[in-house]
Amino acid sequence: MAKRLKPVDVVLVGFGWTASIIAQELTEEGVQVLALERGMDRATVPDFATTHIQDELKYAVRGGLFQAPVRETLSFRNTRDQTALPMRNLGSFRPGAGVGGAGVHWNGQTWRFLPDDFVLRSHVEERYGAGFIPEDLTIQDWGVTYEELEPCFDRFEYLCGVSGKAGNLEGARQTEGNPFEGARSRDYPLPPLERSIGSLMFDKAARELGYHPFAAPAANTSRPYKNPLGVQMGQCTYCGFCEWFGCGNYSKASPQSTILPVLLKKDNFSYRTGCDVTRVLLDNTGKKARGVLYRDLQGQEYEQSAQLVILCAFAHHNVHLLLLSGIGTPYDPASGTGVTGRNYAYQITSSVEVFVDELINPYMGAGALGQAIDDFNTDNFDHGPEGFIGGGYIALWTTGGRPILQHHLPKDTPKWGAGWKKAMAENYLKSVSISTHGSVVSHRQAYLDLDPTYKDIYGDPLLRMTFDFHDNDYRMSDFLTGKAEGVAKAMKPRSINVKGRKKPYSIVPYQTTHNTGGAVMGDDPRTSVVNRYLQSWDVPNVFVVGACNFPQNAGYNPTGTVGALAYWAADAIRGMYLKNPGPLVQA
Amino acid sequence: MTTANKSPGAAAGNLLSRACAAASPSTWPSGAPDFFSRRRFVQAALALPAVLALPACSNETQRPALARTFFSADEYRFIQAATARLIPGDDKDPGALEAGVPVFIDRQLSGPYGRADRWYMEGPWAAGSDQQGYQLEETPAQLYRKAIAGVDAYCRERHDGKPYAELSPEDQDQVLHDLDENKIELEDFPAQAFFSVLWQNTQEGFLSDPMYGGNRDFAGWKLIGFPGPRYNYVDEITRYGDPYTMPPVGLLGRDGTRMRS
């Protein structure tokens, strides 16, 4: 029997980036906010101290900061005619667990999606005609525009102390920045990070080819920084242990390094760890949430009542909870109807390894230290002759040189033995990798639902993922890979190794943790789970926030847009919902 | 690598001091002539009873033989021999064996990784497609136990009763290739599944922090030029093309032989 707990005003499921931002905003209104986190408590000291966090085996290889599949996983298949099998260990993506969520172990690559991304379907139809979009694509507009989100992007960047250079200040082009970006109201809070030798080589080669390279925006502080909440961050030391690790230097933005020092002091905020939320509880009308059901580490079940429930967990987990709780009609791929689980998408990546004569010293780096070009992102180029939708950035990142996972070997290197050893000795210090980071369309056969066979530790069905990239995306990725190969060759290397994305999608090799969709936002309840303010169409006192809201994925890392959406939803709740609880958009 | 003993001994008489060196690679004579190949040494050392091989040393820098935590003596001989082929080495240029990779794998398999503590291991079980990833009922530890028995039986059958560790280097290499190419049939799972885990763990042992038992004396990091986890490169990041000259450091400091229990 579930123990009933004292009601709170607002309960947040998860305690990563979105929950931290929303908690910080809503507590300003005086309401009682409680966050329930499935993982453990984590703080910069002692958990990320440099004396032990720089451990590639423990954190990057064995996944010390990641979700453990034994507690939560999903089942996977490429197509509906296969039987989905459980993802037994992590591979393709690595969600976080614990306070700070994946915001602890991310790289800090903090992009704004482009204006066209938010109106993708109408933009493509307008420029190329409706017939340009394959029939089975379910891409759609977001219901919110870049211009509306601009102040939210700005707040997230200033919260994090993002290092970068504007390319478009209120419509005026700036030299050095990204000339393709949407208009921004002011420059980044910090100048770009120092450039690595790899950045300079990429910059020179890309410029020779007529492209427009720029320093990628980084939530790694190039200077000491005090954010608008008064939280002090230290200057990044280029230690090369961002991705998969927590930052012990207060330099990589995370909830811990930007918000929690302020939030945790508030009397009207509290959080509990080791709490697995298993249901959003609805009243007997099914139109109102009473609160949530969760279990602690001892297996004790609790009922936490709340006036407002906000799902702030990782994309998969939010969708899983909606499906288990019966919120929104589950998507049916046969008929194309229903919404919950619809429009799952991902990120399509490839790389070109470049073997050079110069000494690179790859271990000096930062998670978002990179030089990029946006010439082939979204609709920054004419898609007419190419016959596909979407694009991505091409970048040379200098994220670090951790030996197990970050070494590059030339084509035809023996897999093991003396030849492997010799190639390791010759190439580790003299190689870089150019990556392509592409958008992914949503389509009818890519979706999330509940698995009919496999159960989690509580006996609930696992989430089931049915996914392969659409042909559109394989062609787009091949196009991007070809452009990256061109830049690589212009670097005049000893040799290159082109690693294109091969069919079909595999859940085994790591690609990105940029899982999107399943609870998408929009203007039409027939094609979205939440309205433009991220409020459930069906249960108005439930909000769902995160990359699960993306109707399809753009060619950028998602965190900048996820942070902006969190501010966007928080503003709507503060400014409208709390004053007059109920649907903010009439269906 | 430090040199504790510069006088090359006679081949036969030097066996025990070499065995001692195996327990502590930092004492290997770096200037010794290559009259006694590492391969022959390994075979000779492996052929000795375990009680004789290591504790008989009297070198002052020796350390006690590390207790195995997972492998049986026979299994350990297999792991020593196989990893020595995967990343070969000698006294001047340490490979997996000299870097302690067998110690690393042994410890990993008796811990959370070996037990697959973090993995989802509920049935029903099915082979699935390559894209669906690991679908074996075996934990990594169970995979090793079954596979080593299977490979040794395979070798005995074809090589006059000799287990893998007693084969010639050429034959040992061939077995590894055959495992990788699924040409050897193991009872419960494809041979390649074992090979890929073995090769992955061998690289991990060679390149992870020495506190886990491998990468002893920073052998793997010295080979490639990684200076270890360091805190600050603010000055160095813009010294383009300059070599970085600080010696390797691990999470337990400059002593690359320290292990965390």
Side-chain angles (χ1 to χ4, degrees):
Chain A
M1 193 62 193
K3 284 188 189 170
R4 287 177 178 235
L5 299 168
K6 190 166 162 263
V8 294
D9 297 322
V10 183
V11 66
L12 307 176
V13 178
F15 194 23
W17 265 130
T18 57
S20 302
I21 290 169
I22 288 172
Q24 169 61 23
E25 293 296 305
L26 298 193
T27 46
E28 294 294 295
E29 298 296 322
V31 294
Q32 279 288 340
V33 179
L34 165 70
L36 297 173
E37 165 58 44
R38 61 180 169 165
M40 298 293 97
D41 209 351
R42 302 187 299 191
T44 302
V45 176
D47 300 295
F48 317 143
T50 48
T51 45
H52 77 260
I53 197 73
Q54 295 173 313
D55 182 342
E56 186 183 21
L57 184 77
K58 180 174 180 178
Y59 295 104
V61 181
R62 301 279 184 259
L65 298 176
F66 309 155
Q67 167 184 316
V70 66
R71 283 180 66 81
E72 187 184 346
T73 190
L74 46 72
S75 64
F76 165 73
R77 57 183 180 173
N78 282 125
T79 56
R80 284 169 63 202
D81 56 13
Q82 292 177 315
T83 301
L85 295 177
M87 176 176 73
R88 298 189 178 278
N89 52 11
L90 294 180
S92 175
F93 41 85
R94 299 170 181 177
V99 171
V104 164
H105 72 251
W106 72 315
N107 264 320
Q109 298 164 359
T110 316
W111 301 88
R112 297 179 173 198
F113 288 4
L114 292 171
D116 294 344
D117 287 321
F118 295 98
V119 288
L120 186 66
R121 179 169 281 274
S122 42
H123 173 84
V124 172
E125 286 181 356
E126 189 184 325
R127 182 165 175 184
Y128 304 103
F132 197 75
I133 302 175
E135 184 272 328
D136 59 338
L137 261 53
T138 49
I139 60 171
Q140 60 197 47
D141 295 358
W142 291 51
V144 67
T145 64
Y146 172 82
E147 289 71 23
E148 287 175 308
L149 285 180
E150 200 285 331
C152 301
F153 278 117
D154 179 84
R155 280 158 77 191
F156 188 62
E157 289 164 359
Y158 274 72
L159 176 81
C160 293
V162 175
S163 306
K165 180 75 182 73
N168 180 346
L169 271 180
E170 294 179 321
R173 297 286 176 208
Q174 309 294 308
T175 53
E176 291 181 56
N178 176 9
F180 297 100
E181 72 174 353
R184 55 174 61 246
S185 50
R186 53 180 171 165
D187 207 333
Y188 289 99
L190 292 174
L193 293 163
E194 297 291 354
R195 292 182 193 185
S196 68
I197 184 170
S199 299
L200 296 181
M201 293 163 72
F202 178 90
D203 189 274
K204 180 167 177 286
R207 252 174 238 289
E208 280 170 15
L209 294 169
Y211 305 147
H212 302 83
F214 58 93
N220 316 136
T221 46
S222 62
R223 303 279 186 279
Y225 180 68
K226 187 180 272 188
N227 77 12
L229 298 178
V231 179
Q232 181 69 47
M233 301 177 74
Q235 181 183 351
C236 173
T237 59
Y238 306 92
C239 81
F241 284 81
C242 280
E243 186 181 31
W244 315 136
F245 310 90
C247 179
N249 198 52
Y250 305 89
S251 302
K252 179 174 72 175
S254 66
Q256 281 86 345
S257 66
T258 61
I259 299 178
L260 301 193
V262 173
L263 178 62
L264 299 189
K265 289 197 184 114
K266 293 184 172 183
D267 291 336
N268 57 340
F269 177 76
S270 60
Y271 70 105
R272 298 179 200 140
T273 56
C275 300
D276 269 331
V277 176
T278 55
R279 291 290 186 282
V280 177
L281 297 169
L282 304 180
D283 71 5
N284 52 16
T285 67
K287 300 286 181 198
K288 187 170 186 221
R290 292 188 283 121
V292 299
L293 197 65
Y294 75 88
R295 285 192 197 248
D296 69 11
L297 290 174
Q298 282 73 43
Q300 173 64 48
E301 202 165 35
Y302 298 90
E303 188 178 319
Q304 176 63 61
S305 300
Q307 297 292 315
L308 179 58
V309 175
I310 308 181
L311 306 188
C312 295
F314 191 73
H316 300 145
H317 192 58
N318 280 348
V319 176
H320 193 215
L321 261 183
L322 291 171
L323 288 166
L324 289 175
S325 307
I327 299 176
T329 310
Y331 174 66
D332 171 15
S335 63
T337 59
V339 289
T340 309
R342 178 176 172 274
N343 279 23
Y344 171 75
Y346 190 47
Q347 198 91 68
I348 191 162
T349 58
S350 68
S351 65
V352 180
E353 295 174 312
V354 190
F355 301 90
V356 298
D357 294 315
E358 292 84 350
L359 194 58
I360 297 295
N361 294 336
Y363 44 84
M364 304 175 189
L369 169 55
Q371 205 72 357
I373 58 169
D374 239 356
D375 297 67
F376 303 106
N377 215 329
T378 307
D379 203 27
N380 296 343
F381 61 104
D382 183 7
H383 285 66
E386 312 300 340
F388 59 74
I389 292 162
Y393 69 71
I394 298 170
L396 192 153
W397 296 109
T398 305
T399 64
R402 279 102 54 189
I404 302 169
L405 299 178
Q406 291 192 302
H407 62 258
H408 308 294
L409 294 171
K411 245 187 320 210
D412 307 323
T413 297
K415 188 169 177 181
W416 50 271
W420 175 86
K421 192 180 175 193
K422 181 165 177 282
M424 285 289 285
E426 288 172 353
N427 293 290
Y428 169 76
L429 292 176
K430 297 186 173 184
S431 51
V432 290
S433 178
I434 297 176
S435 31
T436 80
H437 190 275
S439 60
V440 168
V441 295
S442 43
H443 64 93
R444 278 185 69 152
Q445 304 302 330
Y447 65 101
L448 305 170
D449 66 354
L450 294 176
D451 191 276
T453 306
Y454 292 96
K455 309 277 190 230
D456 67 16
I457 48 173
Y458 304 118
D460 284 325
L462 295 187
L463 188 70
R464 176 171 67 177
M465 174 190 291
T466 304
F467 179 70
D468 194 359
F469 297 110
H470 194 274
D471 226 38
N472 176 84
D473 296 337
Y474 285 113
R475 282 185 284 125
M476 188 278 296
S477 187
D478 285 347
F479 170 85
L480 279 182
T481 308
K483 299 297 180 190
E485 185 178 352
V487 179
K489 285 178 175 160
M491 289 167 69
K492 303 193 174 55
R494 287 180 284 137
S495 67
I496 64 172
N497 190 6
V498 181
K499 294 179 154 177
R501 181 59 54 198
K502 290 189 178 62
K503 293 182 198 184
Y505 167 72
S506 168
I507 205 157
V508 181
Y510 175 71
Q511 289 154 66
T512 73
T513 309
H514 308 164
N515 310 76
T516 66
V520 315
M521 64 190 297
D523 279 334
D524 184 345
R526 288 169 304 177
T527 54
S528 55
V529 171
V530 292
N531 65 28
R532 68 194 303 262
Y533 300 112
L534 313 185
Q535 179 183 35
S536 163
W537 289 110
D538 298 308
V539 186
N541 67 334
V542 171
F543 284 69
V544 186
V545 186
C548 61
N549 301 138
F550 298 3
Q552 55 275 331
N553 202 5
Y556 296 109
N557 310 59
T559 305
T561 298
V562 168
L565 286 178
Y567 277 111
W568 171 253
D571 283 352
I573 296 168
R574 286 183 75 172
M576 298 188 281
Y577 183 86
L578 290 180
K579 293 184 175 74
N580 186 16
L584 298 179
V585 179
Q586 292 305 322
Chain B
M1 184 176 288
T2 56
T3 301
N5 173 11
K6 286 193 192 285
S7 61
N14 206 25
L15 180 59
L16 282 183
S17 69
R18 288 288 184 147
C20 190
S24 177
S26 64
T27 65
W28 283 35
S30 64
D34 194 20
F35 55 80
F36 192 87
S37 79
R38 187 206 51 83
R39 161 61 29 200
R40 284 169 53 207
F41 154 68
V42 170
Q43 288 178 328
L46 292 174
L48 288 173
V51 286
L52 253 181
L54 301 179
C57 304
S58 60
N59 189 307
E60 61 184 359
T61 61
Q62 75 166 65
R63 57 190 60 242
L66 292 161
R68 294 187 303 272
T69 62
F70 173 76
F71 289 122
S72 71
D74 282 347
E75 289 167 343
Y76 202 59
R77 279 189 273 273
F78 172 95
I79 287 297
Q80 289 179 305
T83 56
R85 295 315 302 157
L86 289 169
I87 308 179
D90 57 37
D91 54 355
K92 297 188 205 100
D93 180 17
L97 189 67
E98 296 80 7
V101 169
V103 177
F104 169 88
I105 296 178
D106 178 70
R107 304 235 160 170
Q108 288 292 308
L109 293 181
S110 62
Y113 167 74
R115 296 190 302 262
D117 279 359
R118 293 175 62 88
W119 297 9
Y120 180 89
M121 296 298 269
E122 301 295 323
W125 299 89
S129 69
D130 288 348
Q131 288 72 32
Q132 289 175 305
Y134 196 92
Q135 295 296 337
L136 304 178
E137 283 188 66
E138 288 79 9
T139 63
Q142 292 164 339
L143 189 77
Y144 272 86
R145 186 135 281 156
K146 288 184 180 181
I148 292 173
V151 176
D152 269 347
Y154 171 91
C155 294
R156 284 200 178 91
E157 212 170 279
R158 281 160 189 77
H159 295 278
D160 304 324
K162 288 184 191 165
Y164 178 84
E166 291 171 24
L167 305 188
S168 70
E170 293 73 25
D171 287 340
Q172 288 179 339
D173 282 1
Q174 192 56 51
V175 169
L176 292 175
H177 284 296
D178 290 346
L179 285 170
D180 191 19
E181 290 157 26
N182 263 334
K183 289 179 182 163
I184 294 175
E185 214 162 289
L186 300 180
E187 206 167 305
D188 295 319
F189 43 79
Q192 211 281 330
F194 170 62
F195 178 83
S196 86
V197 169
L198 172 66
W199 174 226
Q200 177 59 35
N201 294 158
T202 300
Q203 293 175 77
E204 289 166 5
F206 196 58
L207 297 169
S208 59
D209 195 282
M211 70 182 181
Y212 293 110
N215 189 22
R216 193 175 166 77
D217 274 326
F218 309 110
W221 291 355
K222 284 177 184 166
L223 174 81
I224 63 174
F226 177 62
R230 287 178 172 278
Y231 168 61
N232 193 330
Y233 296 117
V234 170
D235 289 338
E236 290 85 358
I237 184 82
T238 52
R239 287 185 193 152
Y240 304 124
D242 285 0
Y244 184 77
T245 53
M246 296 291 280
V249 65
L251 287 168
L252 299 183
R254 290 263 165 87
D255 179 354
T257 66
R258 285 184 66 196
M259 287 176 60
R260 195 154 70 176
S261 55

